[in-house]
Amino acid sequence: MIKKNIALLSTMLILLIGTSYAGQKKDQKYESPDGKFVANVVALPKVPYGSGESKIIIKTKKGKLLCSKNYGSETGEHGFGAEHAAWTPDSRFFVYSMSSSGGHQAWHFPTDFISTHDFKVRRLDDYLGPITDPDFELSSPDVIKTAGRNKDTIDEAAFEISLSKLIKKK
């Protein structure tokens, strides 16, 4: 009887461990439309549940590191994981939305973007207000369309704006 219970407990433990890692995202590569850059979204390993945490790395096609941003946390529950990522059609910006690895602020999807001009990481929230939709759309040359809460009024808003014009304003 004890051996059966141990076997059952072992099977349940294996299933539980397998299930907890099932939702973890895999590493993804995004080549810029002009072929000059490669953005890597790296899934970080220390994630007890949820969609995980990520590290964003941008390199030249030949492998020279240009930018790296780690969204991990010590516990795997207080960082951010990339939800949606893409290059603008003109290859000037890499854009990615994220969710909290611990489920905090489930309504909020911070959206960051990196310019190939200076390789600085910028947060769209700082310009527009909290972003509430992870599924942004990009159009030529560098226009992002997303939804969120207006920075000044906190009202729901639909945003459609050129990223290059946005960073020139600030």
Side-chain angles (χ1 to χ4, degrees), residues 5-53:
N5 286 343
I6 291 173
L8 180 61
L9 185 59
S10 298
T11 302
M12 289 172 55
L13 186 59
I14 289 169
L15 287 172
L16 181 63
I17 291 169
T19 303
S20 69
Y21 289 103
Q24 190 169 344
K25 296 190 174 163
K26 296 187 179 254
D27 296 358
Q28 295 196 14
K29 285 187 177 189
Y30 299 85
E31 186 173 329
S32 63
D34 65 6
K36 292 180 181 179
F37 308 104
V38 176
N40 293 292
V41 177
V42 179
L44 300 176
K46 196 188 305 181
V47 183
Y49 57 87
S51 63
E53 296 178 337

